[in-house]
Amino acid sequence: TQLLEQSPQFLSIQEGENLTVYCNSSSVFSSLQWYRQEPGEGPVLLVTVVTGGEVKKLKRLTFQFGDARKDSSLHITAAQPGDTGLYLCAGLYGGATNKLIFGTGTLLAVQP
Amino acid sequence: DTGVSQNPRHKITKRGQNVTFRCDPISEHNRLYWYRQTLGQGPEFLTYFQNEAQLEKSRLLSDRFSAERPKGSFSTLEIQRTEQGDSAMYLCASSLGLGAGYGYTFGSGTRLTVV
């Protein structure tokens, strides 16, 4: 059973468009991370959010942690083909603090 | 340090054969994790080591799977009597901790195909 549901599962957009990816759970996270994975490679850490309501920006990427720390979103402004990849959220739960639980993933394709 | 290294990158094996994968973590990282990932899905936790101690194993890890981390350095993951359902990407990650200020560093993975 996946504790972290991501939506949409797949997104194909044109270069220059904006998009938002969602990560939802019924459980409270002590912290949440976002990773990006390119084909044939391992995921790479983008950001960690810890505080409810926290917003972090990484160039054209904006990450938000929900007030109740049960959900998160990733917004990309003016998407570029280099943003193409599998986006994964991953959380630490109070009852499982030794490891990250990963979300179901959102596959993003940005067409030039 | 060149990051987390996994070998081999690809492995094709016949059903019923045994396979072993190796992971060399970042040297100062005391935590080492194995995950399994199928195409387009998120990684699923398999097992976790802190130094040489295996502290947690997923229920996904049947008795055909075994992992070791002798001397708290590299780790191996062995799958005995492989089945077609074992076909997946096997990812290794290491870290100094978890939570704020820490994250996983993943290797490039070993893609296993069981024919």
Side-chain angles (χ1 to χ4, degrees), chain B residues 3-55:
Chain B
V4 178
S5 176
Q6 289 190 247
N7 288 289
R9 288 294 306 271
H10 304 274
K11 178 72 176 178
I12 300 175
T13 191
K14 291 184 178 179
R15 189 175 51 187
Q17 297 294 303
N18 300 341
V19 294
T20 300
F21 311 140
R22 178 179 170 123
C23 172
D24 288 272
I26 292 174
S27 56
E28 59 265 29
H29 286 183
N30 58 350
R31 295 171 177 241
L32 186 147
Y33 304 83
W34 285 98
Y35 282 77
R36 180 170 65 190
Q37 184 180 31
T38 52
L39 202 60
Q41 298 297 310
E44 293 179 301
F45 171 77
L46 293 179
T47 191
Y48 154 61
F49 290 86
Q50 186 153 336
N51 300 309
E52 67 276 7
Q54 188 175 19
L55 296 185

Side-chain angles (χ1 to χ4, degrees), chain A residues 39-62:
Chain A
E41 298 298 327
V44 175
L45 178 65
L46 297 174
V47 76
T48 302
V49 287
V50 179
T51 306
E54 184 176 2
V55 176
K56 282 192 173 179
K57 292 192 174 183
L58 186 66
K59 298 183 181 177
R60 292 176 294 99
L61 278 61
T62 301

Side-chain angles (χ1 to χ4, degrees), chain A residues 2 9 31 33 35 37 40-45 48 50 86 88 92 96-107, chain B residues 9 31 33 35 37 40-45 48 50 55-56 89 91 98-109:
Chain A
Q2 278 286 12
Q9 277 188 294
S31 65
Q33 297 180 332
Y35 289 77
Q37 184 177 21
E41 298 298 327
V44 175
L45 178 65
T48 302
V50 179
L86 181 67
L88 296 160
L92 274 183
T97 54
N98 282 329
K99 62 186 182 290
L100 287 173
I101 304 297
F102 281 84
T104 49
T106 294
L107 188 58
Chain B
R9 288 294 306 271
R31 295 171 177 241
Y33 304 83
Y35 282 77
Q37 184 180 31
Q41 298 297 310
E44 293 179 301
F45 171 77
Y48 154 61
Q50 186 153 336
L55 296 185
E56 190 171 347
M89 174 78 89
L91 292 165
L98 281 181
Y102 298 102
Y104 285 0
T105 301
F106 279 92
S108 297

